[in-house]
Amino acid sequence: MNSDFPIPTLRPGSAGLQIEDVPLAAIAERFGTPTYVYSRAALEQAFDAYRDALAGRRALVCYAVKANSNLGVLAVFAKLGAGFDIVSGGELSRVLAAGGDPGKVVFSGVGKSAGEMRQALAAGIRCFNVESEAELERLDMLAGELGTRAPIALRVNPDVDPKTHPYISTGLKNNKFGVAFDTALALYRRAAGMANVRISGIACHIGSQLLDSGPIAEAAEKVLGLVDELAAEGIHLDHIDLGGGLGIRYRDEAPPSVAAYLAPLLRLLDGRSEELCFEPGRSLIGNAGLLLTRIEYLKPGAERNFAIVDAAMNDLARPALYDAYHEAVAVAPRDVPERNYEIVGPICESGDFLAHDRPLAVAAGDLVALLSAGAYGMAMSSNYNTRPRAAEVIVDGSRMHLVRQRETVESLYALESPLP
Ligand SMILES: *Cc1c(COP(=O)(O)O)cnc(C)c1O
């Protein structure tokens, strides 16, 4: 059996695949399927890779909450001393509920509402990553009303091509993120004149699932040039935030290690005093998680065989949305010939597939694990077709913690009412 899984803590055991010391079959038995399963040890290993690579330098790793916002996951990172990159007031509430430190929270996003800004100012977050002049003006006004000063960084758009999927590329001139690079200087000058903002740093984030550090190093060089221009005008920044984006292996991608990804950036920043921040999401959680599902039916066909499973595109949208690849493995392969299957869910859409043309030695009723599903899996799930969302479990050694109960159908329409 192939034990070269992208999930470092997944391995074959006597009762089929296990994550850490817990057989996946035991999780299915106890909590049902579909269920998202995360490994605490894998989360910690991923975080330690950043911590080790940044050792000896003033640095803050802010987990990008949108990748997976489960309170259990956030609590693991909070205990490790992580900061958090949030994109909504809702995410701020989650971070606080999980015991995260508001003083290590950075707030990204192009559309922060007045309510979200007030909430974040009251919580005392570390920094607002401001993405437009209008946002800066609103923040200055609201901070003034609250009698406080808002710490800010401008998120600049360095106009480099991250060479990734167009939907997850964010650093090109023609997309909605950040302020155009050549207008940043003028906007910093404006911010410096505002009574209720305090300039703290500069930020950029060029895209996701980056498979080499060339583009981010190019962006960093541009950003450093701007930092020096600002310093020459007496505007001194305390931190440089280079965003998230490091990719992971789903299939046969060969992303650099965290250390190799950061090496050229650390070289560029060598000898500089600014604190260095990162906002990784996928690379901290993607390969710490899987989606466990059970085969309802096998449906052989003339051209294609279907394995119809109890998870669907509402649980894991990435295949339908980006044509993304997730490794699909039988939890306990049988002694039958392998066949190639289309792995599909029960939803009434042809786009409802989880994997194409995968060899599996399975029978109806067997468990299948879709790997590398920790990031943008549960976080992007929905209730389409009135399907209760999956349960979530964190495995820690030989223990399993249910960190989100499976939704009940009643809860899905609890806020609705028929007409009288
Ligand atoms: C999505 C996002 C991240 C995290 O990206 P990953 O590819 O998951 O590491 C970080 N910062 C910002 C501003 C984002 O929008």
Side-chain angles (χ1 to χ4, degrees):
M1 189 194 265
N2 173 23
S3 60
D4 179 28
F5 298 120
I7 300 179
T9 53
L10 183 68
R11 58 177 181 269
S14 55
L17 287 180
Q18 59 182 64
I19 196 158
E20 301 192 30
D21 301 329
V22 177
L24 294 179
I27 296 172
E29 170 111 348
R30 179 134 150 222
F31 302 111
T33 52
T35 291
Y36 275 98
V37 182
Y38 314 112
S39 158
R40 179 175 190 169
L43 293 172
E44 293 181 346
Q45 278 177 34
F47 188 80
D48 284 348
Y50 278 91
R51 183 147 62 188
D52 293 350
L54 294 167
R57 145 165 264 302
R58 201 156 71 94
L60 180 64
V61 178
C62 295
Y63 168 62
V65 175
K66 77 175 192 284
N68 184 320
S69 57
N70 182 283
L71 293 198
V73 169
L74 299 181
V76 168
F77 287 127
K79 282 215 177 68
L80 293 170
F84 295 92
D85 170 46
I86 60 166
V87 292
S88 71
E91 288 189 351
L92 176 55
S93 297
R94 283 181 174 274
V95 166
L96 299 178
D101 176 357
K104 292 182 182 173
V105 167
V106 300
F107 192 171
S108 305
V110 294
K112 301 174 192 79
S113 71
E116 288 175 319
M117 285 178 171
R118 287 193 198 96
Q119 179 193 358
L121 285 166
I125 68 163
R126 159 70 184 263
C127 191
F128 290 84
N129 289 348
V130 171
E131 305 212 14
S132 66
E133 180 161 20
E135 182 190 335
L136 186 64
E137 286 164 358
R138 177 187 273 183
L139 187 58
D140 178 47
M141 184 188 78
L142 294 176
E145 283 171 16
L146 292 174
T148 183
R149 288 189 97 173
I152 65 119
L154 291 187
R155 175 171 172 184
V156 298
N157 187 333
D159 194 27
V160 301
D161 184 355
K163 302 186 184 71
T164 185
H165 192 287
Y167 289 7
I168 52 177
S169 154
T170 54
L172 280 167
K173 204 164 18 188
N174 59 2
N175 72 41
K176 70 179 178 182
F177 297 100
V179 302
F181 198 79
D182 45 18
T183 64
L185 197 57
L187 199 49
Y188 267 110
R189 287 187 193 120
R190 266 213 74 189
M194 288 180 167
N196 310 304
V197 307
R198 177 172 60 76
I199 295 173
S200 171
I202 189 164
C204 76
H205 170 74
I206 60 170
S208 200
Q209 186 58 11
L210 310 179
L211 294 173
D212 73 79
S213 37
I216 188 68
E218 191 187 329
E221 241 174 298
K222 284 189 156 184
V223 165
L224 287 179
L226 186 54
V227 172
D228 292 338
E229 278 184 73
L230 287 165
E233 298 198 11
I235 300 176
H236 297 281
L237 304 188
D238 184 54
H239 78 264
I240 298 173
D241 179 344
L242 295 175
L246 173 58
I248 62 169
R249 175 160 77 92
Y250 287 98
R251 184 180 194 172
D252 50 10
E253 302 90 338
S257 67
V258 171
Y261 178 75
L262 295 183
L265 307 177
L266 292 174
R267 264 197 306 279
L268 278 173
L269 281 135
D270 198 29
R272 301 187 69 112
S273 62
E274 296 93 351
E275 181 169 31
L276 189 50
C277 301
F278 290 97
E279 305 168 352
R282 191 188 312 269
S283 56
L284 287 180
I285 176 114
N287 270 329
L290 58 83
L291 176 59
L292 185 59
T293 181
R294 197 179 285 284
I295 299 173
E296 295 279 5
Y297 302 102
L298 292 180
K299 190 172 173 182
E303 311 228 317
R304 303 205 276 183
N305 303 307
F306 291 93
I308 302 168
V309 298
D310 64 5
M313 65 186 287
N314 75 296
D315 299 300
L316 181 60
R318 299 187 68 258
L321 194 58
Y322 314 117
D323 209 14
Y325 182 99
H326 289 270
E327 204 69 68
V329 292
V331 168
R334 289 182 184 258
D335 196 13
V336 299
E338 275 187 351
R339 274 191 177 184
N340 278 22
Y341 290 99
E342 296 292 304
I343 303 177
V344 301
I347 287 182
C348 304
E349 301 249 359
S350 294
D352 182 25
F353 65 88
L354 298 170
H356 290 305
D357 206 24
R358 301 303 174 78
L360 293 173
V362 290
D366 286 0
L367 294 168
V368 170
L370 292 150
L371 308 187
S372 314
Y376 307 106
M378 186 65 177
M380 293 175 90
S381 66
S382 78
N383 295 117
Y384 190 38
N385 279 212
T386 305
R387 289 170 49 84
R389 269 180 296 183
E392 292 179 286
V393 169
I394 297 184
V395 168
D396 182 4
S398 58
R399 280 175 303 178
M400 12 181 171
H401 300 282
L402 180 65
V403 290
R404 191 174 208 268
Q405 297 175 27
R406 184 176 310 288
E407 287 175 342
T408 63
V409 168
E410 298 69 38
S411 75
L412 302 189
Y413 53 77
L415 302 177
E416 303 172 24
S417 45
L419 288 182

